[in-house]
Amino acid sequence: IELWTGASLLLYILLFALANRIGSFQKHSKLAFALAVIGILGLCLRASAAESASAFYLAGEGSLVLSTALLGYMAIEQLIGVPLIWTIRSIIASSVISALLVPFYHESGFLLTAVSLTACAICLQFDEKPQSSESEDGRKSEEAPAVVFPKGLAAGFFLLAVCFGFLQTFLYQESEKTIETVVIITKLVASGAFGLIVTRTEDTGYALLAKTISTISIAALAVFLAYNRASIESMSLMATGYSLLEITYLLIMVNIASIANRSSIKIVSIFFIIDTLGYMAGTAMSGAAADNEVATKIIATSLVILLSAAAIWLFNEKHVNAFLWSKEQKGNDPPTLSFEEKIGLLASECDLSPRETEVLGMYASGRSAAFIAEATFVSSNTVRSHIKHIYAKCNVHSRQELITKIEDFGE
């Protein structure tokens, strides 16, 4: 696990550094077959190695990391520009399928991995859609909004990964059967929770997802402290939260990569680097305090306090929505029409009422339903009703589609 994590981190950092030169993997779809072959060769080298420290094993592990990581990048790029509902369905389906396949990896891991790599390479050939926001070299056009990853949210995501790394170390000390059962159940639970949240809240409920993950993490640490040791309950809560975090990362990465004036490879790398660094820090803490009960309690208690603060101050709708939806104009040349002017024209064309136009302006600027309700002196349910009417009249299904339609209006 440590070898895989370390190799993955080095690869993510390398891809981040070379992102602008690479541009996009979509124009190199045939590369998927080469990556699948590299992964299968890695499996063969690893299987033939006499011990885990041998050169053959290390070469095989490195090849497999390279293959799976780059195929993952290519799969994420394929989701860019896909309607939101299909992106959500794809993410949930992949999570459920991976959970259901867990029991078979113990006996047929080599075959399943080889088949999965080949199937992924084949699927990546079916859709080579053009990216309207990218130039020919794969870079985003300058007209797309610039996205800056807020330090506060980065710290919050890092903290979550630290928590999961700290507790997951204890899970891997259990029997294979226990690990297998926990992984299957928690992945399925996380998939169900993700589907419920993103389909029952506007804008896929990013802030609610972050708060849910934080709450599960705090609960896992609280149970850990209550039992004074790792238990099935604390490890199950931890695994559920981490699975939900991984699924949420995918949706956020696809969303940001769809709109940002930055290479999608660089955006995905940022998330993976933060997550991997946090996970490694958590496992290092767990290992350092393994034989010291007092130190373990101090670390767990500190993480509870920090996660509680993050849930309150970092993972709120204001910060999350501002990161995902706020517009930042770049360059010295003003646009032909301002964002507000485009909103007015779209409202007129789609026959929005004055109240719906008012809600549209705040909603497209990243305001939450609760904020709009307070500003317009109506209930949150009334605001949500207005948003549904706006979606229907503008023929969109998500806030991102609405913002894209506003930006493209009049161009």
Side-chain angles (χ1 to χ4, degrees):
I1 295 172
E2 292 173 352
L3 176 62
W4 182 279
T5 306
S8 298
L9 178 61
L10 291 176
L11 179 61
Y12 299 148
I13 293 174
L14 180 62
L15 287 171
F16 178 83
L18 299 176
N20 290 335
R21 290 190 178 185
I22 297 172
S24 172
F25 283 121
Q26 282 195 338
K27 58 183 180 179
H28 305 300
S29 61
K30 302 304 179 185
L31 176 64
F33 288 114
L35 291 172
V37 172
I38 291 173
I40 294 172
L41 288 176
L43 286 171
C44 295
L45 287 173
R46 199 172 65 169
S48 62
E51 54 185 30
S52 59
S54 68
F56 280 114
Y57 188 89
L58 294 176
E61 194 77 359
S63 299
L64 199 54
V65 168
L66 176 67
S67 173
T68 55
L70 293 185
L71 284 172
Y73 274 76
M74 296 179 75
I76 291 173
E77 280 198 339
Q78 285 288 66
L79 291 175
I80 297 174
V82 172
L84 180 63
I85 185 62
W86 285 105
T87 298
I88 293 172
R89 289 172 180 173
S90 299
I91 292 172
I92 294 176
S94 66
S95 179
V96 171
I97 291 172
S98 67
L100 296 178
L101 289 177
V102 167
F104 302 99
Y105 274 99
H106 181 63
E107 298 293 335
S108 309
F110 182 99
L111 179 61
L112 272 177
T113 304
V115 170
S116 298
L117 291 171
T118 305
C120 181
I122 294 173
C123 290
L124 288 171
Q125 309 304 311
F126 285 112
D127 185 11
E128 299 183 30
K129 57 185 179 303
Q131 294 296 309
S132 59
S133 61
E134 294 187 0
S135 59
E136 290 182 0
D137 63 355
R139 297 185 180 91
K140 301 284 182 174
S141 69
E142 294 300 323
E143 295 178 357
V147 172
V148 178
F149 206 118
K151 295 180 181 178
L153 284 180
F157 286 133
F158 175 83
L159 191 58
L160 285 171
V162 170
C163 169
F164 296 131
F166 176 74
L167 287 178
Q168 196 158 27
T169 304
F170 297 100
L171 175 61
Y172 289 131
Q173 296 173 2
E174 299 293 326
S175 65
E176 288 187 3
K177 186 64 177 178
T178 299
I179 296 174
E180 181 181 291
T181 302
V182 169
V183 170
I184 294 172
I185 295 176
T186 55
K187 274 185 172 290
L188 293 175
V189 170
S191 300
F194 175 81
L196 183 64
I197 292 173
V198 299
T199 56
R200 297 295 180 182
T201 57
E202 71 271 3
D203 307 327
T204 66
Y206 288 111
L208 181 56
L209 281 168
K211 287 185 176 180
T212 301
I213 296 168
S214 299
T215 302
I216 294 174
S217 307
I218 293 170
L221 290 167
V223 172
F224 176 84
L225 289 169
Y227 279 87
N228 201 25
R229 60 178 176 81
S231 63
I232 291 297
E233 291 83 357
S234 63
M235 291 185 290
S236 297
L237 284 168
M238 172 277 305
T240 302
Y242 196 46
S243 294
L244 185 56
L245 178 65
E246 290 178 324
I247 300 172
T248 302
Y249 270 161
L250 287 175
L251 186 59
I252 295 176
M253 286 188 289
V254 171
N255 179 79
I256 296 176
S258 299
I259 64 173
N261 181 14
R262 182 171 291 187
S263 165
S264 56
I265 296 175
K266 183 168 288 190
I267 291 168
V268 174
S269 297
I270 290 172
F271 277 93
F272 284 162
I273 290 170
I274 291 172
D275 181 63
T276 307
L277 282 174
Y279 186 86
M280 293 177 70
T283 55
M285 289 180 186
S286 180
D291 299 322
N292 191 326
E293 184 176 320
V294 175
T296 302
K297 284 185 176 180
I298 291 174
I299 293 174
T301 304
S302 300
L303 287 174
V304 168
I305 295 172
L306 292 172
L307 281 172
S308 300
I312 296 171
W313 300 106
L314 301 179
F315 296 137
N316 54 44
E317 289 193 61
K318 177 182 178 182
H319 288 105
V320 175
N321 285 348
F323 170 44
L324 291 168
W325 313 115
S326 62
K327 297 292 146 188
E328 180 180 345
Q329 294 295 336
K330 291 290 182 180
N332 298 322
D333 297 328
T336 306
L337 293 173
S338 69
F339 193 67
E340 291 73 19
E341 289 173 329
K342 291 182 178 181
I343 288 175
L345 291 174
L346 180 64
S348 176
E349 181 175 284
C350 296
D351 197 26
L352 300 185
S353 68
R355 175 64 84 181
E356 289 169 345
T357 303
E358 182 182 12
V359 170
L360 172 62
M362 289 186 281
Y363 186 66
S365 299
R367 299 299 187 180
S368 66
F371 179 93
I372 299 173
E374 184 177 345
T376 56
F377 304 102
V378 297
S379 69
S380 294
N381 287 335
T382 300
V383 172
R384 291 189 180 94
S385 178
H386 285 316
I387 292 172
K388 287 181 180 178
H389 293 157
I390 292 170
Y391 280 1
K393 291 182 178 180
C394 296
N395 193 29
V396 297
H397 303 90
S398 68
R399 192 197 306 238
Q400 182 49 51
E401 290 182 20
L402 183 62
I403 292 175
T404 301
K405 187 158 190 169
I406 294 171
E407 290 177 331
D408 293 343
F409 199 82
E411 297 296 334

Short mmCIF file of all heavy atoms in Angstrom, two decimals, residues 59 61 108 113 152 157 164 241 254 260 329 348 372 379 407 409:
data_model
loop_
_atom_site.label_atom_id
_atom_site.label_comp_id
_atom_site.label_asym_id
_atom_site.label_seq_id
_atom_site.Cartn_x
_atom_site.Cartn_y
_atom_site.Cartn_z
N ALA A 59 9.04 -3.04 -10.62
CA ALA A 59 8.75 -2.64 -12.00
C ALA A 59 7.29 -2.91 -12.34
O ALA A 59 6.63 -2.10 -12.99
CB ALA A 59 9.67 -3.39 -12.96
N GLU A 61 4.77 -3.09 -10.19
CA GLU A 61 3.93 -2.16 -9.43
C GLU A 61 3.93 -0.78 -10.09
O GLU A 61 2.89 -0.13 -10.23
CB GLU A 61 4.45 -2.06 -8.00
CG GLU A 61 3.49 -1.41 -7.02
CD GLU A 61 2.37 -2.31 -6.60
OE1 GLU A 61 2.29 -3.47 -7.06
OE2 GLU A 61 1.53 -1.87 -5.80
N SER A 108 -9.42 -14.20 -8.25
CA SER A 108 -9.19 -13.95 -9.68
C SER A 108 -8.74 -12.52 -9.93
O SER A 108 -9.15 -11.88 -10.90
CB SER A 108 -10.47 -14.24 -10.47
OG SER A 108 -10.99 -15.51 -10.16
N THR A 113 -8.38 -7.72 -13.14
CA THR A 113 -7.66 -6.48 -13.42
C THR A 113 -7.32 -6.35 -14.90
O THR A 113 -7.48 -5.28 -15.50
CB THR A 113 -6.38 -6.41 -12.58
OG1 THR A 113 -6.70 -6.55 -11.20
CG2 THR A 113 -5.67 -5.07 -12.79
N GLY A 152 -8.39 27.42 1.96
CA GLY A 152 -9.22 26.88 3.03
C GLY A 152 -9.83 25.54 2.67
O GLY A 152 -9.78 24.58 3.45
N PHE A 157 -9.98 19.46 2.64
CA PHE A 157 -9.88 18.17 1.96
C PHE A 157 -8.64 17.40 2.45
O PHE A 157 -8.68 16.19 2.61
CB PHE A 157 -9.81 18.37 0.45
CG PHE A 157 -11.12 18.77 -0.17
CD1 PHE A 157 -11.19 19.82 -1.08
CD2 PHE A 157 -12.28 18.09 0.15
CE1 PHE A 157 -12.40 20.18 -1.65
CE2 PHE A 157 -13.50 18.45 -0.42
CZ PHE A 157 -13.56 19.49 -1.32
N PHE A 164 -8.81 9.79 7.30
CA PHE A 164 -9.05 8.47 6.71
C PHE A 164 -7.76 7.64 6.69
O PHE A 164 -7.78 6.44 6.95
CB PHE A 164 -9.62 8.61 5.31
CG PHE A 164 -10.97 9.26 5.28
CD1 PHE A 164 -11.24 10.32 4.42
CD2 PHE A 164 -11.98 8.85 6.13
CE1 PHE A 164 -12.48 10.93 4.41
CE2 PHE A 164 -13.22 9.46 6.13
CZ PHE A 164 -13.47 10.49 5.27
N GLY A 241 -17.00 7.08 4.78
CA GLY A 241 -16.66 8.47 4.51
C GLY A 241 -15.63 8.61 3.41
O GLY A 241 -15.75 9.49 2.54
N VAL A 254 -14.83 16.75 -12.49
CA VAL A 254 -15.47 16.84 -13.81
C VAL A 254 -16.13 18.19 -13.98
O VAL A 254 -16.02 18.84 -15.04
CB VAL A 254 -16.50 15.71 -13.99
CG1 VAL A 254 -17.31 15.93 -15.26
CG2 VAL A 254 -15.80 14.36 -14.05
N ALA A 260 -13.25 25.44 -16.33
CA ALA A 260 -12.09 26.21 -15.90
C ALA A 260 -11.14 26.55 -17.03
O ALA A 260 -10.99 25.80 -17.98
CB ALA A 260 -11.33 25.44 -14.83
N GLN A 329 -13.58 37.55 -14.09
CA GLN A 329 -13.22 38.01 -15.42
C GLN A 329 -11.71 38.23 -15.51
O GLN A 329 -11.09 38.78 -14.60
CB GLN A 329 -13.94 39.33 -15.74
CG GLN A 329 -15.44 39.18 -15.85
CD GLN A 329 -15.86 38.30 -17.02
OE1 GLN A 329 -15.13 38.16 -17.97
NE2 GLN A 329 -17.03 37.72 -16.92
N SER A 348 -35.45 37.66 -20.49
CA SER A 348 -36.46 38.18 -21.42
C SER A 348 -36.84 37.14 -22.46
O SER A 348 -38.03 36.95 -22.76
CB SER A 348 -35.92 39.45 -22.10
OG SER A 348 -36.83 39.92 -23.07
N ILE A 372 -30.68 33.37 -0.83
CA ILE A 372 -31.67 34.04 -1.69
C ILE A 372 -32.98 34.22 -0.93
O ILE A 372 -33.64 35.27 -1.04
CB ILE A 372 -31.89 33.24 -2.98
CG1 ILE A 372 -30.58 33.14 -3.78
CG2 ILE A 372 -32.98 33.89 -3.84
CD1 ILE A 372 -30.66 32.23 -4.99
N SER A 379 -39.55 31.97 1.69
CA SER A 379 -39.03 30.73 2.26
C SER A 379 -38.08 30.05 1.27
O SER A 379 -38.10 30.33 0.07
CB SER A 379 -40.18 29.78 2.59
OG SER A 379 -40.80 29.32 1.40
N GLU A 407 -23.50 32.40 -20.20
CA GLU A 407 -22.22 32.84 -20.79
C GLU A 407 -22.26 32.82 -22.31
O GLU A 407 -21.67 33.68 -22.97
CB GLU A 407 -21.09 31.94 -20.29
CG GLU A 407 -20.76 32.13 -18.83
CD GLU A 407 -19.69 31.18 -18.36
OE1 GLU A 407 -19.60 30.06 -18.93
OE2 GLU A 407 -18.94 31.53 -17.44
N PHE A 409 -24.87 33.16 -24.15
CA PHE A 409 -25.96 33.97 -24.69
C PHE A 409 -25.42 35.24 -25.32
O PHE A 409 -24.66 35.99 -24.71
CB PHE A 409 -26.97 34.32 -23.60
CG PHE A 409 -28.31 34.74 -24.12
CD1 PHE A 409 -29.25 33.79 -24.49
CD2 PHE A 409 -28.62 36.08 -24.28
CE1 PHE A 409 -30.47 34.18 -24.98
CE2 PHE A 409 -29.84 36.47 -24.77
CZ PHE A 409 -30.78 35.51 -25.13
#
